Amino acid sequence: MIVSLISNGYEGMISVMIKNMNDWFSLLILLIYKVFHSYMSYYLYYRSPEYRASLNKDKDTIRA
């Protein structure tokens, strides 16, 4: 951004900054999706009947 400010002026720096923000925003959306997907995978696994059956088989207590 500093190089674009020196060579292209204020308008050039603003256009580079907007492009960088758009790139980071798309990456942020993908990161939020991945975190949500991982969370739901773990949550649904621990609520599944297979997991609860494995707890009963091992004589552990079931947490509601």
Side-chain angles (χ1 to χ4, degrees), residues 4-62:
S4 65
L5 176 64
I6 293 170
S7 63
N8 297 330
Y10 183 71
E11 290 83 18
M13 184 191 75
I14 294 298
S15 66
V16 169
M17 187 173 74
I18 290 172
K19 180 187 177 304
N20 287 341
M21 288 175 67
N22 286 338
D23 293 342
W24 283 109
F25 184 72
S26 62
L27 184 62
L28 179 65
I29 295 296
L30 290 173
L31 184 65
I32 289 172
Y33 169 75
K34 178 62 179 163
V35 168
F36 179 74
H37 183 267
S38 296
Y39 173 77
M40 289 306 294
S41 296
Y42 285 115
Y43 176 76
L44 292 175
Y45 171 73
Y46 286 119
R47 301 278 297 168
S48 69
E50 294 86 9
Y51 176 71
R52 292 186 181 268
S54 72
L55 288 178
N56 284 338
K57 185 172 44 177
D58 294 334
K59 306 285 189 248
D60 288 337
T61 59
I62 297 177

